[in-house]
Amino acid sequence: QWERLWFLILTSSFFLTLVWFYFWWEVHNDYNEINWFLYNRMGYWSDWSIPILVTTAAGFTYITVLLILALCHIAVGQQMNLHWLHKIGLMTTLITTVVTMSSIAQLWDDEWEMVFISLQATAPFLHIGALAAVTALSWLIAGQFARTEKATSQMLMFTAYLAVVVALYLVPLTISSPCIMEKAALGPKPTIIGHRGAPMLAPENTLMSFQKAVEQKMYGVQADVVLSYDGVPFLMHDKTLRRTTNVEEVFPERAYEHSSMFNWTDLEKLNAGEWFLQNDPFWTAGSLSRSDYLEAANQSVCKLADMLEVIKDNTSLILNFQDLPPAHPYYSTYINITLETILASGIRQQAVMWLPDTERQLVRQIAPGFQQTSGLKLDAERMREKGIVKLNLRYTKVTNEDVRDYAMANLSVNLYTVNEPWLYSILWCAGVQSVTSDSSHVLRKVPFPIWLMPPDEYHLIWITSDLISFIIIVGVFIFQKWRLGSIRTYNPEQIMLSAAVRRSSQDVKIMKEKLIFSEINNGVETTDELSLCSENGY
């Protein structure tokens, strides 16, 4: 009973670590976002993504090896005999995985949506892999089925395995991927908007970052605007200056102040590039050329006006605003000041996607050409009422059906932050018009969705895989029943004999003799029984 319990724990641990490993591998798209989230929680920057990935891979590998060894023991009719050190390791891995998954679910439950989105890209291939694994497992199941003497146990084992196999055969009925479509139905490639410029090639929200985005010929850029204490619009994402400047060295007593509470003369003294080379948030600093490395190291806080001068001729712009503290002298007029700066730059009004809801009516009057954009998910009718023509949402907030509905209503959707080619491909197939990305230089080189499969071709692969699996499983069960049907599991000599297919004929002969004498001894156990048989005339 204890051996069965440990095998159950081992199997559960395998599936849990598999899910966690898959999850952490797929959220590679959001590693920087996760690190930023943890930075806000802990107060200091550290790249947690790779240590977690390595630890997860090590735990999954360890559990997988234990499970394979356990299955090998079962295949030859032996118990697991799990060593106590492995029992400790197994429980430690299981508890750590459960605690970590629970923590992510509580702190950042939105990220679990990534699993369901990723399945749109991986499910057809995971199905074939799972089918191969379950088909291979039929050798062990059929062996146990043939060795088991009780009909009840045989039926339970066979029914459970059959249920899993049938469910796996029918899983494709539940698989829905936008990339299962005819090639002729594929829409245009989504345009790419650089998130805070080109943050993998230069420090975010710096002049160099936006210059790199223009060099990459991006459709647009996204920037975060703050107003300094003396009324100068500048670019900064965080509420404080700690993460992306050296404010703790220059103004240590003011490091935790809101960035808008600094005068522009103070902001000019800060370095906004060294952090990028030291922290290397995207593991790209080492690939910079010598000239780019030196340029990045000398970046300063960027004015909105300077950025507009760089991008105004060829690039669209999404502006995001930070709320100012009530004590800020321009708390009630920062929208007007920012609007004046944008209009004075000479950028086309149609190129500006205006995101804040604050004073939207005023913005329409002053700049009627701006594309009114919402960061909240609204239905098409509500968007028309508010004069909104575009949505800017996180990619987990919309479904494929939402994208189609908005497109039918002549409304466009921009999704952020999309860094991985597989995610970009899924959104391309779904009909998304544009995406905001940290890796714009990578996505612009994606010429076509990573995979695109017509429905008829997918159905053919699905049915063919199921048929091949079914034929193999039936053949394995017939062969194992023929090979092991007459062997009982309780006799050690019989077990050795069944495993001695490749041994020499002399070894097989010896084991056969042991088996014969073992059966004779089991049939007549004592001399008293022999005497009793004589008296009765037998």
Side-chain angles (χ1 to χ4, degrees):
Q1 295 298 327
W2 282 107
E3 288 295 322
R4 291 178 181 177
L5 177 61
W6 279 111
F7 183 75
L8 180 62
I9 293 173
L10 178 58
T11 307
S12 303
S13 300
F14 171 76
F15 284 109
L16 276 175
T17 53
L18 176 61
V19 170
W20 175 243
F21 181 65
Y22 176 82
F23 166 79
W24 198 253
W25 180 267
E26 290 301 331
V27 297
H28 183 269
N29 182 84
D30 300 331
Y31 278 177
N32 188 64
E33 193 174 340
I34 292 170
N35 287 330
W36 181 78
F37 174 81
L38 294 174
Y39 166 79
N40 286 332
R41 287 272 176 173
M42 297 182 294
Y44 63 91
W45 179 269
S46 181
D47 188 352
W48 292 91
S49 55
I50 296 301
I52 294 177
L53 180 62
V54 171
T55 305
T56 301
F60 174 69
T61 303
Y62 172 67
I63 296 297
T64 302
V65 171
L66 281 184
L67 183 60
I68 291 173
L69 292 175
L71 293 175
C72 290
H73 276 253
I74 293 172
V76 296
Q78 297 179 5
Q79 294 184 350
M80 286 197 308
N81 294 323
L82 200 62
H83 194 272
W84 66 270
L85 284 177
H86 288 309
K87 291 179 181 178
I88 294 174
L90 175 59
M91 293 305 300
T92 302
T93 304
L94 177 60
I95 293 171
T96 303
T97 303
V98 170
V99 170
T100 309
M101 293 174 72
S102 302
S103 300
I104 290 292
Q106 292 178 4
L107 297 176
W108 203 0
D109 59 338
D110 186 48
E111 194 63 22
W112 283 102
E113 293 292 331
M114 165 62 86
V115 174
F116 302 104
I117 294 173
S118 69
L119 287 175
Q120 297 179 26
T122 61
F125 309 100
L126 291 177
H127 169 248
I128 294 176
L131 203 60
V134 170
T135 303
L137 197 62
S138 65
W139 182 266
L140 294 179
I141 301 297
Q144 288 297 105
F145 179 83
R147 291 189 184 98
T148 303
E149 294 181 342
K150 293 182 180 179
T152 306
S153 300
Q154 284 185 329
M155 285 302 299
L156 287 174
M157 186 185 307
F158 182 75
T159 303
Y161 181 69
L162 182 63
V164 172
V165 171
V166 171
L168 200 55
Y169 287 167
L170 299 179
V171 156
L173 292 174
T174 66
I175 293 177
S176 175
S177 173
C179 288
I180 300 177
M181 64 185 301
E182 298 293 343
K183 293 182 180 179
L186 181 66
K189 180 178 179 178
T191 55
I192 302 171
I193 296 172
H195 187 223
R196 307 171 198 165
M200 288 191 178
L201 305 177
E204 67 179 55
N205 278 327
T206 61
L207 198 59
M208 179 184 177
S209 185
F210 293 102
Q211 289 170 341
K212 289 293 183 183
V214 172
E215 290 174 9
Q216 296 292 324
K217 298 181 180 179
M218 292 297 99
Y219 168 77
V221 294
Q222 179 269 336
D224 306 285
V225 181
V226 191
L227 202 67
S228 70
Y229 197 75
D230 51 353
V232 178
F234 67 98
L235 307 182
M236 185 62 56
H237 175 265
D238 296 4
K239 292 182 179 180
T240 70
L241 301 166
R242 293 177 59 244
R243 182 175 66 89
T244 57
T245 72
N246 62 340
V247 67
E248 291 181 322
E249 298 175 8
V250 181
F251 303 107
E253 71 284 353
R254 303 179 62 190
Y256 288 88
E257 285 188 23
H258 196 281
S259 59
S260 64
M261 303 305 285
F262 287 75
N263 287 319
W264 178 248
T265 52
D266 292 335
L267 293 170
E268 284 184 307
K269 299 175 183 178
L270 300 176
N271 183 290
E274 289 180 349
W275 73 273
F276 174 77
L277 303 176
Q278 293 171 359
N279 295 338
D280 197 8
F282 297 100
W283 319 296
T284 54
S287 63
L288 298 179
S289 65
R290 180 64 179 170
S291 58
D292 284 349
Y293 191 92
L294 293 175
E295 185 179 357
N298 291 293
Q299 289 299 297
S300 57
V301 177
C302 181
K303 280 185 180 180
L304 173 61
D306 294 340
M307 183 271 287
L308 291 170
E309 188 64 29
V310 170
I311 64 118
K312 67 179 182 180
D313 294 328
N314 302 307
T315 310
S316 297
L317 174 66
I318 295 181
L319 285 177
N320 195 18
F321 287 75
Q322 274 196 41
D323 293 331
L324 300 182
H328 196 282
Y330 296 97
Y331 177 75
S332 58
T333 58
Y334 75 95
I335 293 290
N336 306 64
I337 295 173
T338 306
L339 271 174
E340 291 173 5
T341 304
I342 295 171
L343 296 175
S345 70
I347 189 173
R348 294 179 302 109
Q349 289 192 17
Q350 293 76 13
V352 178
M353 290 168 266
W354 186 265
L355 193 57
D357 278 330
T358 307
E359 302 289 350
R360 196 180 286 275
Q361 203 62 34
L362 172 66
V363 174
R364 271 202 200 91
Q365 295 173 2
I366 299 175
F370 283 7
Q371 297 183 55
Q372 295 298 322
T373 307
S374 175
L376 300 175
K377 186 178 179 180
L378 305 171
D379 58 49
E381 184 178 350
R382 180 68 174 153
M383 289 175 67
R384 288 196 194 93
E385 291 176 359
K386 298 182 70 172
I388 294 171
V389 298
K390 197 178 190 75
L391 283 177
N392 183 60
L393 301 171
R394 194 172 193 268
Y395 65 88
T396 57
K397 297 298 184 182
V398 294
T399 63
N400 300 331
E401 291 74 20
D402 292 333
V403 174
R404 285 195 292 268
D405 291 343
Y406 288 131
M408 291 178 63
N410 201 27
L411 301 168
S412 61
V413 178
N414 178 72
L415 301 182
Y416 64 87
T417 307
V418 178
N419 298 326
E420 292 297 308
W422 70 263
L423 180 57
Y424 182 66
S425 299
I426 287 293
L427 299 178
W428 184 349
C429 294
V432 171
Q433 291 85 2
S434 63
V435 300
T436 300
S437 177
D438 294 321
S439 60
S440 53
H441 63 295
V442 175
L443 299 187
R444 66 186 289 267
K445 297 177 182 178
V446 177
F448 200 73
I450 289 180
W451 67 272
L452 190 69
M453 193 180 302
D456 291 342
E457 183 179 331
Y458 174 65
H459 293 153
L460 179 62
I461 294 174
W462 163 30
I463 295 171
T464 303
S465 302
D466 286 356
L467 284 175
I468 293 173
S469 170
F470 178 76
I471 292 170
I472 293 174
I473 289 174
V474 171
V476 167
F477 266 83
I478 293 173
F479 177 74
Q480 288 284 63
K481 183 65 176 176
W482 170 79
R483 190 173 74 95
L484 302 174
S486 61
I487 296 179
R488 295 177 177 177
T489 58
Y490 60 79
N491 192 297
E493 285 80 8
Q494 289 175 322
I495 295 172
M496 292 180 64
L497 181 58
S498 67
V501 177
R502 297 181 180 273
R503 296 196 180 188
S504 66
S505 58
Q506 181 63 28
D507 291 338
V508 175
K509 183 178 179 181
I510 292 172
M511 280 189 283
K512 283 182 177 179
E513 291 174 353
K514 288 184 178 180
L515 178 58
I516 292 170
F517 283 112
S518 175
E519 293 294 343
I520 292 173
N521 291 333
N522 287 335
V524 183
E525 295 180 356
T526 65
T527 55
D528 291 338
E529 289 179 350
L530 288 174
S531 301
L532 180 61
C533 291
S534 281
E535 291 173 0
N536 291 330
Y538 291 97

